[in-house]
Amino acid sequence: MAFLEIEHLRKSFGTLNVVEDFDLAVARGEFISFLGPSGCGKTTTLRMVAGFETPSAGAIRIDGKDVTEAKPNQRNVGMVFQSYALFPNMTIADNVGFGLRVAGRPAAEIKSRVEEMLALIKLPQLGGRYPYQLSGGQQQRVALARALAVKPKLLLLDEPLSALDAKIRVSLRQEIRQIQRELGITAIYVTHDQEEALSISDRIVVMSQGRMEQVGTPFEIYNYPRTRFVASFVGTLNVLKAQVVDVSGKLTVDGQPVATAAHLDGTRPGEIRSVALRPEAVSLADADGESNRLHGTVEEVSFLGSVVRIRVRFGENAVSLDTFNKPSVPPPDRGTKVTVSFARDALLLLDGDAT
Amino acid sequence: MTQSASPQALSSRAPGFSLSRVSWDWLGVVPFFLFAILFLILPTAFLVVGAFQDSVGNFTLRNIANLTQPSIVAAYWISIKVSAASAIIGGAVGFLIAYAAIAGGVPGWIRPTLMTFSGVASNFAGVPLAFAFLATLGRTGLVTAILIKYFDFNIYQHGFNLLSFWGLVLTYLYFQISLMILIMAPAIDGLKREWREAATILGATTWQYWRYIALPVLGPSLLGTTLLLFANAFGAIATAYGLTGSSLNIVTILLFAQIRGDVLHDQNLGYALALGMIVITGASNIAYIWLRARSERWQR
Amino acid sequence: MKRAKIGPWIALFLGTLYFIVPLIATFEFSLRMRRGEYSFDAYAVVLADARFQATFGYSTALAFATIVVGVLLVVPTAYWVNLRLPKLRPVIEFITLLPLVIPAIVLVFGYLRIYNSESWLPMTSSERLTDLLLTFGYVTLALPYMYRAVDNGLRAIDVRTLTEAAQSLGAGWPTILFRVILPNVRVAVLSGAFLTFAIVIGEFTLAALLDRPAFGPYLQLIGANRAYEPSALAIIAFGVTWACMGLINVVGRASHGQTPKAP
C-alpha cells in the first residue's frame, strides 16, 4: 500500500473545476513534483493535502489514515511556503521550535531538537537572529528546518525557491533533495520550473488546467512526453507541421520526406499532424547514422556560452538546434544553406490535431 | 546621489561653483522652515517658556506647581479618563471591525466601502458630530424616543446622560473607531495568510496563533495607534464644546475659557496648562512613533 | 480557508449600526421642524439664513486660500527634499507631524500671545491680517496630511530622473516644477486638497479664538440656540465631508485608469 494515496480528488469553486480527478499513489520516501503553469491546480492540490482547502470530492490517505476531513493541525504534515512565512516576531530558534512549543514539549527537548535542525541546514550560529536579518536563501532553509522539526510524515513544498536568485535556487534545491534523502521523508514539491522538477524529483506529475497530463520519472517525462502540452512545457521543443504520406511512418515537412518511429495508426494520408523535435536531438551535420535529413537556411544564431542555438528554416517550419561551442569552429552565418539531421525516433508524434 | 564628490574632484573642477551650489540647496527649504518656525515652533516655544516665568518674566516653577490646584487636576483627570476610555474602546472596536472586514472572509466590496466611510467619519468630528449625537441620544433624540415608546425604557431615568462622561466617550468613539480602522488596515494587511497557515500546520490552535504570532506582530501598531487615538481625543475640544457647552470640565474647555475670558486671572498659569497638554500629547505621540518604527521593522 | 463565520458579520453589523443610526436620527430630527409632519423646513431656514451664507462662504474662501498656500509651501519643499536634501527628510517629517502633537488650541493660544496688536508682528491688529493668520494656522493644521500626501506622490514617481530628463531638454526650474512635477503628483495634491477642505470647512477652535466669522463658530452658535436647524446643519456638514472623501476616491481611481497595468 502506498504511503500517500490521493483518490479521485476534485476541487470546484462554483462551476469552475480547479482540480479534476486527481489520482496518485506516492511511496514512502519518494520525492514527487507537481509541475505546471500558474493556475494549473498544482498548488490547490497541495493545499488540499495540507488541509487548507477542502476537496469537493475524493479522498486523501496518509499512511493508511483517511485525513480528507482532518484539520491542518491534526495531519502531522510539514509545509514550506514560497514566501518563507517565518514568524517575524520570533528568533530563528523560536521559529524552528514553534511546532514543538505548541505541542507542549519540554524546553530541553525543544532546545536540542532546534540545535539538531539548525545543524542540518548548516546555520547553527544563527539561532538568535531574527528573520529580517537573514537572506532569502537562509530564511527558506530555516523554514525547511521549522517544517521538519516536528518530524512530519509528509513534507510539502509550495514553490519554495521561486522568490530566490537563480544561483541560490540551484544550490538550495540540491540541499533540499539531500536533506530529504537523509531523513527518508516523503515529499511533494510544487513548481512551475521544469528544470527544477527534472533535476530534483523521483517522479513528476505534469498538470494543466486542473488535470494530470502525465505522471512519470524525469527521464520518461522529458524523453517520452505523452501530450503536446507536456512536450512543450518540459524543455524546449520544436513543433513542426508534417503531412502524413504513409501510415507506416512516412511524412513530409515542407515537402521534404522524413520518417518517424512512432505509429501513425488512425491517421490518413494527406492529414496534417504535429510532430516534435528536441533541439539537442538535431545536429547540424549530414551525419551518416541518422536517417532524417532536412535542407534549410540558417535564420538565427544565438550564442549561449557552452551551447550555440541555431535556428534553421525550411519553409513554413523551422527548428532550433543546439550545438556545443567549439572555439575552433565559429558558428555559421545567417543565410547559410545547411542540412540538419536527426534520428527516426527523435521525431515525436503529438496527440491531437495540428491546430 | 552624485552629490558627494571627493575633495580632489571638487578642487580639480571649479570649487567656487560647487560651494555655491551646496548653499543654494539649503535655500530651497528656507520658506518651509520659516513658516514652521513662525507658526508652529515659536508660538509653542513661547508658551513653554512662559510656563516657567512669572508675570514680569522671572524664572519660576510656581505655574507648574499651581497646576496641582483641585479644579485643574480634576480637568486633567477627566480629560485623561475620557481620552483613555475612548482610545481603548475605540481601539478595540475599530480593530475588530477592521479585522472582520479585511480578514473575516466577507465579500470584497465591504472593505473599500468601510474605508471610504471611515475616511468620512474620522473627519466628521467637532460641532456637527455633537449635533448628530444630540439628535440620537439626547433627551428628545430618536433612539431615546424609540426606547421610551416601544420598550417603555427611559435611558435618562436609568442614569444615562449624553452630556456626561460616558456620553462624551460614546460620541468620541465615532471618530476614534473610524481613525483606528484607517490606521490599522495596512497593519492587518501585513499579517500574512501564510503565517497563520504555517502556524496551523505546525499544530497550533487558533488561540496559539493569536497568542504567539498575530498579537505580538500587531502589538506595536495596536498599542501605538491607541496612543495616537488618546492624543487625538485629548486635544479635541469642538465636539465636547458643541455637546456640553462649557459645562464639562475637561482641560481643553478650561483652556478655551481661559483664553477667551482669562478665568484663571493668571496668564502664565494658562501657559502651564498648555504645557501640560503638550507634554501629555507629546509623550503619547512619541511613544506612537517609536512603536510604529518597531512594527515596521518586521514588515518585510 | 473560506469558512462562513458568524463573528465578522456580527462585528460589522454592530459597527454599521453605531455609525448609521446617528445619521438616520439626525436626518429624522432635521425633518421634524413642522409640527406633525416631516418637512425640509429646517433646511430652508438654514439655507436662507444670511449668516449661514456668509460664514459658509467665508470658510470656503479660507479653505481655498489654505489649499493654495499649503500647496505652494509643501510641493516645492517636498520636491526639493526628495531631489537634493534626502538627509533632511526625517527633520521635515518630524516637523510636519508636530501639528498632531500640539493641540490646535495650544497653537492658537500661542498665536494670540505672539501676534497680538502690541507685538512685533501684529497680525491680529486688522481683520485682513487675522484672516491671513487664520489661513496660516489652517495650513499648519493640514500640514501632516498635505505633506504626507504629496511626499507619497513624489516618492511614487522618480523625481530625479524626471528632473534630469526635463533639464536635458532645456527646461528651467519654473517649467520643471509646474509643468513636469506638479502634473505628475496632481492626484496626491488633489487628495491633500480635499482633505484640507474637509478639515477647514467646519473648524471651530482657531476660528472661534481668533474671533473670525467662520462656519464652525456659526454651527456652535446655532446649536446653542436652536432646536432643529443644528440637525440640518450636521447633515449638510456630513454631506460636505462625504463629498470631499468621495472626490479623493474619484481622483485616485481616475489616476489608476490612466496608468495601464499589465493583467
Side-chain angles (χ1 to χ4, degrees), chain A residues 148-161:
Chain A
L148 292 171
V150 291
K151 299 187 177 158
K153 289 182 169 170
L154 190 61
L155 178 64
L156 307 177
L157 303 110
D158 186 7
E159 307 229 10
L161 306 178

Side-chain angles (χ1 to χ4, degrees), chain A residues 272-284:
Chain A
I272 305 285
R273 293 298 302 259
S274 290
V275 292
L277 268 174
R278 296 273 178 212
E280 66 272 22
V282 186
S283 58
L284 188 63

